[in-house]
Amino acid sequence: MAETEAELQAYLKEHNVESLLKDIVVKLCVDKPDDELDFIKNYMIQLQRERGTNVEDDEEEEEEADAGPISRGRSRRAAISASVMTEDDVEDYQRKVIRKDAPTMLRLQKAVSDNVLFQHLDSEELTEVLDAMFLIKKQAGTEIITQGDEGDNFYVVDAGQLEVWKKDDGADESKMVLELTTGGSFGELALIYNQPRAATVKAKTDVQLWALDQDTYRRILMGSTIRKRKMYETFLEKVQILADVDKYERLQVADALEPCTFADETNIVKQGDEGDDFFIIVEGTAVVTQSNDKGESGQVGELGAADYFGEIALLKDNKRHATVTAKGEVKCVKLDRETFERVLGPIEDILRRNMENYQKFTGSA
């Protein structure tokens, strides 16, 4: 069994399967195509072309004829992502730090806070991305990006005004569709797609921009995923309910974990509240308290590293059975309800058995 697992892991690494699947998931989240299977199929065909794999001409013509719009009016070719990045590419990456003062960092953080490509980054990842952004200055009248050109950078406006011009299919002239000022941003799809620009952006005044290139963004994102996986993989072996599951299932959990930190005396979960998250303590101590029907309250347990709580509310779809409070700063990782049901399905029976008989009260929340 161990030998078979090792062979599978070696195969997945050799063929960069993990990177490929992550690219597909990112594209699906961004484009939200109605026909996800057709979307993925078209991506695979493009990869074959890039790798020089023979694809019959008549098959390509048939695909072109059958393929409808991928999503939101994008052409089939426009929905193809950048080439897959390997683990070796990530290991060769040297962190880039372009010095910026605190107000500039705050402006950049605010500018990207609502962008889907940045919302999933934790604070460390976001800081690394913002550190890597480089300054560009352009004079009034200069085209920053041109419709139809290949995308390379994502831009945040630090000072000045820009105009967005777009030429629709069949139109003789472009028309201005938007103005951008300080805090505005454009070109984000260049971070994940090798696709032509959808519009032209011109400097209306002298402008100052902060830019991020595709290669840097993808190396930071992939590097963070690899580091997170390695860190959590070892830690999860210490979690009792995950000790006996196979490595692949543990890796699924590791990839889905979301870090969170709680200050001293913070109620992580509260008795009687609706429960939507499952927690595992990475570092620190938490106190478990319960109140009975008479209103009497008292401590019933204490949790430490590798202990977990919150599963009862998710398994039984009811409210929290206890309050768990941070005793000093507590670092946790968590899974939301949907992810919990998806990745912990193989051990649901163990969780249900443990609900009835704990020694550490970890399931009382």
Side-chain angles (χ1 to χ4, degrees):
M1 178 66 182
E3 183 178 351
T4 301
E5 182 178 322
E7 291 175 353
L8 291 175
Q9 292 295 330
Y11 172 83
L12 294 175
K13 182 175 182 180
E14 178 184 355
H15 294 275
N16 300 316
V17 174
E18 178 183 344
S19 298
L20 174 63
L21 294 177
K22 286 182 181 296
D23 279 355
I24 292 173
V25 170
V26 169
K27 291 199 302 300
L28 289 171
C29 290
V30 172
D31 279 81
K32 301 179 178 65
D34 294 328
D35 189 340
E36 71 282 359
L37 295 180
D38 190 56
F39 182 94
I40 296 172
K41 177 185 69 177
N42 290 332
Y43 172 54
M44 295 302 178
I45 291 173
Q46 179 65 16
L47 272 186
Q48 286 181 313
R49 292 193 181 107
E50 292 176 358
R51 293 178 180 178
T53 304
N54 291 328
V55 181
E56 296 296 332
D57 291 341
D58 56 349
E59 181 180 334
E60 291 187 14
E61 292 173 0
E62 180 181 347
E63 296 290 352
E64 294 284 355
D66 291 343
I70 295 297
S71 70
R72 296 187 296 189
R74 289 195 179 92
S75 68
R76 173 177 174 272
R77 187 172 298 277
I80 302 302
S81 108
S83 57
V84 176
M85 184 166 288
T86 69
E87 188 168 337
D88 289 337
D89 292 331
V90 173
E91 291 178 351
D92 292 339
Y93 174 70
Q94 298 294 320
R95 179 168 181 168
K96 301 176 183 178
V97 179
I98 310 298
R99 292 190 178 277
K100 306 171 184 70
D101 58 25
T104 298
M105 289 292 283
L106 288 174
R107 289 198 302 273
L108 290 174
Q109 186 173 352
K110 182 178 180 181
V112 303
S113 61
D114 293 329
N115 192 300
V116 67
L117 297 186
F118 297 88
Q119 288 177 336
H120 66 289
L121 301 178
D122 62 31
S123 58
E124 183 178 343
E125 293 166 344
L126 182 58
T127 297
E128 190 170 355
V129 166
L130 299 184
D131 279 344
M133 298 187 80
F134 54 93
L135 187 64
I136 294 177
K137 296 181 179 180
K138 296 291 184 180
Q139 294 181 334
T142 305
E143 287 189 359
I144 313 301
I145 63 175
T146 303
Q147 184 172 348
D149 286 356
E150 288 295 321
D152 51 3
N153 297 327
F154 163 70
Y155 300 90
V156 173
V157 184
D158 193 50
Q161 295 177 295
L162 302 102
E163 297 175 338
V164 181
W165 292 77
K166 185 174 177 61
K167 183 177 182 181
D168 295 327
D169 293 340
D172 295 328
E173 297 182 355
S174 300
K175 61 180 180 179
M176 192 181 74
V177 295
L178 183 66
E179 285 194 3
L180 296 171
T181 58
T182 301
S185 61
F186 59 96
E188 64 268 28
L189 290 186
L191 299 180
I192 57 172
Y193 289 129
N194 286 330
Q195 68 170 2
R197 295 291 194 184
T200 296
V201 179
K202 301 178 182 179
K204 184 178 180 180
T205 66
D206 290 352
V207 295
Q208 183 167 291
L209 310 167
W210 289 102
L212 178 71
D213 65 275
Q214 179 191 88
D215 183 69
T216 298
Y217 174 84
R218 289 164 60 80
R219 285 175 186 262
I220 291 172
L221 186 64
M222 190 63 189
S224 174
T225 299
I226 292 172
R227 290 192 299 271
K228 172 184 170 183
R229 166 172 279 197
K230 289 180 178 178
M231 177 180 69
Y232 287 150
E233 182 181 358
T234 302
F235 166 72
L236 291 176
E237 292 177 352
K238 303 175 184 177
V239 179
Q240 184 180 2
I241 56 170
L242 298 173
D244 295 327
V245 303
D246 63 39
K247 181 177 180 180
Y248 176 72
E249 290 171 335
R250 271 201 307 274
L251 290 178
Q252 281 189 307
V253 175
D255 286 343
L257 292 173
E258 179 183 343
C260 49
T261 302
F262 301 94
D264 183 32
E265 298 186 352
T266 301
N267 288 335
I268 303 173
V269 301
K270 189 175 181 180
Q271 185 173 348
D273 286 355
E274 296 293 333
D276 292 313
D277 295 304
F278 168 74
F279 296 88
I280 304 174
I281 297 178
V282 177
E283 185 179 313
T285 304
V287 175
V288 183
T289 57
Q290 278 186 321
S291 298
N292 59 25
D293 295 339
K294 298 178 181 179
E296 298 170 336
S297 177
Q299 180 175 331
V300 296
E302 191 168 285
L303 306 175
D307 285 334
Y308 60 91
F309 58 94
E311 79 283 10
I312 288 183
L314 301 187
L315 290 171
K316 300 180 69 175
D317 198 22
N318 60 12
K319 297 181 179 181
R320 299 295 191 188
H321 287 208
T323 296
V324 178
T325 306
K327 184 178 179 181
E329 184 179 81
V330 176
K331 295 182 179 180
C332 297
V333 287
K334 68 177 183 177
L335 299 173
D336 60 29
R337 180 183 295 274
E338 181 179 352
T339 309
F340 173 85
E341 292 172 351
R342 174 170 56 84
V343 302
L344 293 184
I347 60 170
E348 181 176 335
D349 289 342
I350 299 175
L351 287 168
R352 289 189 180 278
R353 287 198 301 270
N354 286 351
M355 282 196 307
E356 303 299 329
N357 184 22
Y358 278 89
Q359 293 183 345
K360 294 185 177 181
F361 299 90
T362 53
S364 58

